[in-house]
Amino acid sequence: NGTQPAAAAAPAPAGPAVVRARQRVTMTARVGGVVVTGMAEAHQDGRVGDVIRVENVDSHRVVRARVTGPGAVDVELGGTP
């Protein structure tokens, strides 16, 4: 019939929130071989795999970051909310 099956949506992150809104989290950014870490405040609750908004406590810049574990996020480089 020539039709292809619809692509499956990526599974939603499962499990309990490991980051809570207004919680201080460690954010990590990797550029090439350089790893930079800093403190941020979460603007949203998040489970492992969720992309949430966090605010750098030093610069007050809000960026998107992926939750990697309890109190930890990886910055999504090149993007802002």
Side-chain angles (χ1 to χ4, degrees):
N1 62 17
T3 61
Q4 295 184 358
V18 295
V19 169
R20 296 285 181 190
R22 296 182 18 208
Q23 176 184 346
R24 290 284 171 111
V25 297
T26 301
M27 64 178 176
T28 304
R30 291 173 181 82
V31 181
V34 177
V35 178
V36 179
T37 61
M39 294 304 296
E41 182 174 303
H43 281 205
Q44 303 167 261
D45 291 352
R47 297 176 298 214
V48 172
D50 283 345
V51 176
I52 64 171
R53 294 180 340 158
V54 299
E55 181 177 340
N56 181 308
V57 296
D58 293 322
S59 69
H60 302 288
R61 181 172 178 219
V62 177
V63 297
R64 291 169 53 91
R66 184 170 307 279
V67 178
T68 57
V73 298
D74 281 352
V75 174
E76 301 273 301
L77 296 175
T80 57

